[in-house]
Amino acid sequence: MTHARNAVVTPDSDDPPTQGALGDATVSTDNARAAAEDSLEDYAFRYVPRTFRRWSAASVGATALGSIAFLADFSIGASIGLDHGTANAVLGIVFASVVIVIVGVPVAYYAARYNLDLDLIARGSGFGYYGSILTTLVFAGFTCIFFALEGAIMAQGLQLATGMPLWLGYLISTVVVIPIVIYGMRALERLQFWTTPLWLVLALLPLLWIVVSDPEAVRAFTSFAGTSDGSIGFGAVVSSAAVCFALTPQLAEQIDYIRAMPPRTPSNARSWWTSYVFAGPGWVIFSGTKQVIGVFLAVYLLVKVEPDLGRQATEPAKQFVVMYQTLLPDWLAIVLALVLIVVAQVKINVTNAYSGSLAWSNVFTRVAKHYPGRTIFVLFNLVIAYALMMLDVFTLISFVLSLYANVVMAWLVTIATDIAINKWVLRISPRFPEFRRGMLHDWNPVGLVSVGLASVLSLLAFAGVFGATVKPFSVLIAIGVAVVATPVTALATRGRYYLRRRSDGIDSPRFDDNGNPSGERLRCHVTGYTFERPDMLASAEKGPHGEVQYVSSLALTLDDSDQYVLPPEVNGPPHRATARRASQRRGET
């Protein structure tokens, strides 16, 4: 059985795997083989191999940026604009965007350079093999919440255009993405490529016309005070930013695309860096711009069109219908607004459903040692999202996102700090990302203590335990505690809980001369498939003649017998010079 369209993993028909080897354990060879085949399109809980990454850097970047067409940005901007006024809202958006870029730079770089998703990065960045499950659950929750918000926006558009009841609109917005999501990265790449130009034309051209032709609308926007007294206040700015911070996990969805970046070489370096910057940490530039536009559209509706509209001005469906109606006949305005909303909703919610299914399958497979297929988790993710829509999560958007932002920032700031400080400054965390079972400890207190402490303190502040004065700054507490606790915990534990082993037992280097993960392929003796070198370890089970055998990280994920896991080495990180020499010997430059 050979996969002609993708030569990443192929069974060795001349020397098939023996059922007895894995059959004696609690997981079957068939299960490991099925997981390998099913993950050809998505590489859940797996390194993305070179043979899959055939797109150019520019193509990957364009696909990743296509996923940020979501309309929740307009609602978020409008909500904080109505609450705090234009000046505070815009400053809050800028502040949040700057912080998100800073957090995103190290995390997105590791994803693009080493072709890993955020869960795999988190494992070796302070959380451990099982500890990262907690962070993956936080991300899975994000995909459900934002799927529900986008689905609600589509349902509002359908109701406005056709009178369709909201519950039916929720259902349609949920099931419409299923056929695309099931087919993985290839289908998503085509969808994003072909729909992005249409979205840009529908969203931006009418807006530009209003800005140019109606200067009074711009003046109303710049002077809008919302429910505030019109003055600029640090508390109002931070409160605005707190809602925006809840969008930070979008970085993880961007990573699900940019982990497919091609190897960086001298010939493609400029394109590679450009795609990394804009599709990685730079996604928030486009997101922040849309939030500011959301403030403008809400103000335009309230000041220039319908002063009594109230909170309905935060609904993108209403915003775009009214915007089009100022330029076109009513029937055409409704049609174009509906097309825009449907295109935007499908573009982002295929990403939400795709990334959510990867997250849920990742968690389940590591816990249960069984892989039932990603389709199950697509449906699971969608059921949760539909339930949130029925609970009318859209009307609580500011509260839900402000609450969620505390945990989100504790999580992502911890990972970014471990990479930037613990790896590159203190050099107490392993410089090169490690994600393979057997190489890592199951739990690492560095990430767990940081996230736990930052989340608890910030949530207590958000609940008002520390007083009304501190409450608006809860998200800053999450950020500050995570930045401090991550290196302090690493120093206190002397980095003992990062690596279980320093050698994976394979002599060949993990990286090529350009510092990219090696494309060398080795045969997994458990599944009979070949995997690329970064995905492999030496097996604790020797061959029939005492020779070294190799086992894939996928097989180890599905095995709970530990019979293939190499024994641990002495705890504690090597001396810096020793670590540097060891890395050089392995070709990790």
Side-chain angles (χ1 to χ4, degrees):
M1 179 174 59
T2 302
H3 300 272
R5 66 192 179 111
N6 193 316
V8 175
V9 289
T10 54
D12 186 345
S13 58
D14 295 328
D15 186 16
T18 59
Q19 182 70 29
L22 198 54
D24 293 336
T26 57
V27 62
S28 70
T29 300
D30 289 342
N31 186 41
R33 290 163 65 91
E37 293 175 11
D38 191 54
S39 64
L40 280 173
E41 284 285 6
D42 51 63
Y43 294 92
F45 51 84
R46 288 181 56 193
Y47 157 79
V48 183
R50 281 194 184 204
T51 42
F52 178 79
R53 294 181 277 116
R54 295 172 178 171
W55 295 279
S56 67
S59 178
V60 173
T63 301
L65 285 176
S67 70
I68 63 169
F70 50 89
L71 299 180
D73 273 334
F74 296 101
S75 295
I76 290 170
S79 295
I80 61 178
L82 295 186
D83 290 337
H84 304 292
T86 295
N88 289 313
V90 171
L91 288 173
I93 292 167
V94 172
F95 173 61
S97 299
V98 171
V99 174
I100 291 172
V101 167
I102 294 171
V103 171
V105 165
V107 180
Y109 176 79
Y110 266 56
R113 183 63 162 153
Y114 301 112
N115 312 110
L116 307 174
D117 67 18
L118 192 53
D119 175 79
L120 301 188
I121 294 171
R123 294 182 193 180
S125 297
F127 289 90
Y129 181 76
Y130 287 111
S132 69
I133 287 176
L134 301 178
T135 69
T136 304
L137 288 173
V138 174
F139 174 55
F142 166 85
T143 65
C144 293
I145 291 172
F146 275 85
F147 190 106
L149 294 177
E150 290 296 326
I153 290 170
M154 179 172 172
Q156 292 163 1
L158 291 171
Q159 183 182 56
L160 191 61
T162 67
M164 180 183 295
L166 284 176
W167 71 266
L168 182 56
Y170 295 155
L171 184 62
I172 291 174
S173 68
T174 301
V175 300
V176 71
V177 304
I178 294 176
I180 301 171
V181 175
I182 288 176
Y183 285 99
M185 178 67 179
R186 284 190 175 86
L188 267 63
E189 190 269 341
R190 297 187 187 105
L191 172 75
Q192 303 295 9
F193 178 81
W194 289 108
T195 55
T196 295
L198 175 62
W199 183 90
L200 289 172
V201 169
L202 290 174
L204 297 183
L205 286 184
L207 176 69
L208 292 174
W209 175 255
I210 289 176
V211 170
V212 172
S213 63
D214 192 353
E216 182 60 33
V218 178
R219 285 191 288 271
F221 163 70
T222 56
S223 61
F224 184 72
T227 58
S228 70
D229 59 7
S231 63
I232 296 176
F234 185 58
V237 171
V238 174
S239 295
S240 299
V243 181
C244 305
F245 279 131
L247 285 167
T248 312
Q250 177 63 31
L251 174 66
E253 296 197 349
Q254 298 302 116
I255 283 173
D256 279 337
Y257 287 101
I258 66 173
R259 67 194 178 119
M261 287 276 277
R264 193 184 76 203
T265 63
S267 62
N268 74 349
R270 178 176 297 180
S271 173
W272 193 97
W273 280 110
T274 301
S275 296
Y276 152 73
V277 168
F278 286 103
W283 70 270
V284 76
I285 297 172
F286 305 96
S287 177
T289 301
K290 287 157 56 190
Q291 291 165 42
V292 173
I293 292 173
V295 181
F296 175 83
L297 291 176
V299 173
Y300 182 75
L301 262 64
L302 292 175
V303 175
K304 301 288 291 183
V305 182
E306 298 182 51
D308 298 327
L309 198 58
R311 301 302 295 189
Q312 277 190 298
T314 66
E315 298 178 6
K318 191 72 173 178
Q319 291 175 349
F320 282 98
V321 166
V322 171
M323 182 173 67
Y324 284 134
Q325 283 176 333
T326 62
L327 307 173
L328 302 166
D330 286 356
W331 69 270
L332 184 57
I334 292 174
V335 169
L336 290 179
L338 184 60
V339 170
L340 170 67
I341 290 167
V342 170
V343 168
Q345 191 271 344
V346 171
K347 282 172 72 62
I348 183 56
N349 268 356
V350 293
T351 302
N352 283 327
Y354 170 71
S355 294
S357 69
L358 296 187
W360 291 118
S361 64
N362 197 316
V363 170
F364 181 86
T365 302
R366 271 184 290 163
V367 172
K369 306 297 181 185
H370 174 68
Y371 184 70
R374 187 169 61 82
T375 302
I376 297 295
F377 298 103
V378 171
L379 300 178
F380 178 73
N381 206 54
L382 297 183
V383 167
I384 296 176
Y386 182 74
L388 290 174
M389 288 185 231
M390 293 300 294
L391 292 171
D392 199 17
V393 69
F394 184 87
T395 60
L396 300 172
I397 183 170
S398 291
F399 173 79
V400 171
L401 296 185
S402 296
L403 174 66
Y404 189 62
N406 295 287
V407 179
V408 162
M409 295 311 292
W411 155 47
L412 286 168
V413 171
T414 293
I415 296 175
T417 301
D418 190 88
I419 294 173
I421 304 299
N422 293 358
K423 291 186 187 301
W424 288 90
V425 178
L426 300 177
R427 299 188 181 182
I428 201 169
S429 175
R431 175 73 61 86
F432 299 97
E434 183 57 77
F435 62 92
R436 297 166 295 175
R437 182 185 172 201
M439 296 298 294
L440 296 167
H441 288 284
D442 289 345
W443 306 91
N444 188 340
V446 173
L448 299 176
V449 168
S450 177
V451 169
L453 189 62
S455 297
V456 169
L457 291 177
S458 62
L459 288 173
L460 288 175
F462 183 80
V465 173
F466 302 137
T469 304
V470 176
K471 183 176 180 178
F473 308 110
S474 63
V475 71
L476 296 187
I477 293 175
I479 295 171
V481 172
V483 169
V484 174
T486 303
V488 168
T489 309
L491 289 170
T493 58
R494 293 183 292 175
R496 290 195 303 269
Y497 299 97
Y498 280 100
L499 292 180
R500 182 176 175 270
R501 293 182 57 86
R502 300 184 195 108
S503 170
D504 59 15
I506 302 177
D507 291 333
S508 59
R510 289 176 63 195
F511 301 90
D512 64 18
D513 293 339
N514 291 314
N516 300 298
S518 170
E520 178 189 7
R521 296 169 65 188
L522 302 170
R523 179 182 177 276
C524 172
H525 78 98
V526 175
T527 63
Y529 286 8
T530 57
F531 295 81
E532 290 185 0
R533 169 67 179 88
D535 223 12
M536 300 292 287
L537 300 89
S539 174
E541 187 174 273
K542 299 294 184 181
H545 305 292
E547 71 274 13
V548 174
Q549 297 190 110
Y550 306 113
V551 60
S552 64
S553 63
L554 178 66
L556 290 176
T557 297
L558 294 164
D559 171 41
D560 61 1
S561 70
D562 289 338
Q563 69 187 76
Y564 309 110
V565 178
L566 292 170
E569 292 176 339
V570 178
N571 285 336
H575 186 273
R576 293 182 185 178
T578 305
R580 194 179 303 114
R581 288 194 296 269
S583 294
Q584 290 170 349
R585 286 196 299 270
R586 292 192 299 268
E588 299 174 353
T589 57

